[in-house]
């Protein structure tokens, strides 16, 4: 893949789309930019610990995501499943973050003691 604008910012140009050119993005960067985690390191750690699933499989932080992919996150107190609609090209405000994904399932979970 060709890196967008010659930088290594986690986004890659992909011309294999039938609708034209779109950008691919690392999963941990998507989670951070869409305000699903506070920091990219948190998203990376969540992926490494099996908390994040991509299309029903255990996700790696560097996996490439794009529109149509399904992401599941098992937070301590809730389960969130979403479908990626589009990828952000830069930092996103918390108010606009929801426009990049569609929530398929958001269930509260009972917190268990460890």
């Amino acid at each position: 893949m060709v890196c967008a604008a010659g930088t290594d910012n986690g986004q890659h140009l992909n011309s294999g789309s039938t609708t034209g050119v779109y950008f691919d993005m690392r999963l941990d960067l998507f989670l951070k930019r869409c305000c699903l985690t506070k920091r990219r390191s948190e998203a990376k750690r969540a992926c490494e610990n099996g908390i994040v699933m991509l299309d029903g499989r255990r996700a790696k932080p560097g996996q490439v995501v794009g529109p149509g992919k399904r992401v599941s996150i098992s937070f301590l107190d809730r389960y969130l499943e979403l479908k990626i609609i589009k990828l952000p090209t830069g930092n996103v405000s918390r108010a606009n973050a929801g426009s990049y994904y569609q929530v398929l399932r958001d269930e509260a979970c009972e917190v268990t003691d460890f």
Side-chain angles (χ1 to χ4, degrees):
M1 286 188 204
V2 177
C3 199
T7 62
D8 188 19
N9 62 1
Q11 293 182 331
H12 299 281
L13 190 63
N14 184 350
S15 59
S17 169
T18 57
T19 59
V21 176
Y22 65 87
F23 287 93
D24 288 332
M25 181 180 285
R26 289 174 53 104
L27 176 60
D28 57 353
L29 184 60
F30 175 80
L31 295 175
K32 188 263 179 219
R33 286 206 176 155
C34 288
C35 304
L36 295 166
T37 61
K38 288 185 181 181
R39 292 179 294 279
R40 187 172 175 175
S41 60
E42 280 182 358
K44 181 178 185 266
R45 194 167 55 246
C47 291
E48 290 170 346
N49 290 330
I51 295 169
V52 181
M53 306 285 276
L54 183 63
D55 289 333
R57 295 186 179 150
R58 189 173 175 167
K60 294 181 181 179
Q63 269 184 287
V64 176
V65 295
K69 297 280 187 177
R70 291 176 181 249
V71 179
S72 306
I73 308 169
S74 298
F75 292 108
L76 200 57
D77 58 346
R78 74 179 204 186
Y79 178 80
L80 182 65
E81 186 175 342
L82 53 98
K83 181 179 177 183
I84 299 173
I85 298 173
K86 59 184 177 178
L87 297 174
T89 55
N91 290 330
V92 177
S93 69
R94 187 170 292 280
N96 293 333
S99 66
Y100 292 93
Y101 58 87
Q102 174 188 4
V103 176
L104 302 175
R105 207 162 97 185
D106 188 3
E107 298 176 355
C109 298
E110 192 172 313
V111 179
T112 57
D113 292 332
F114 288 90

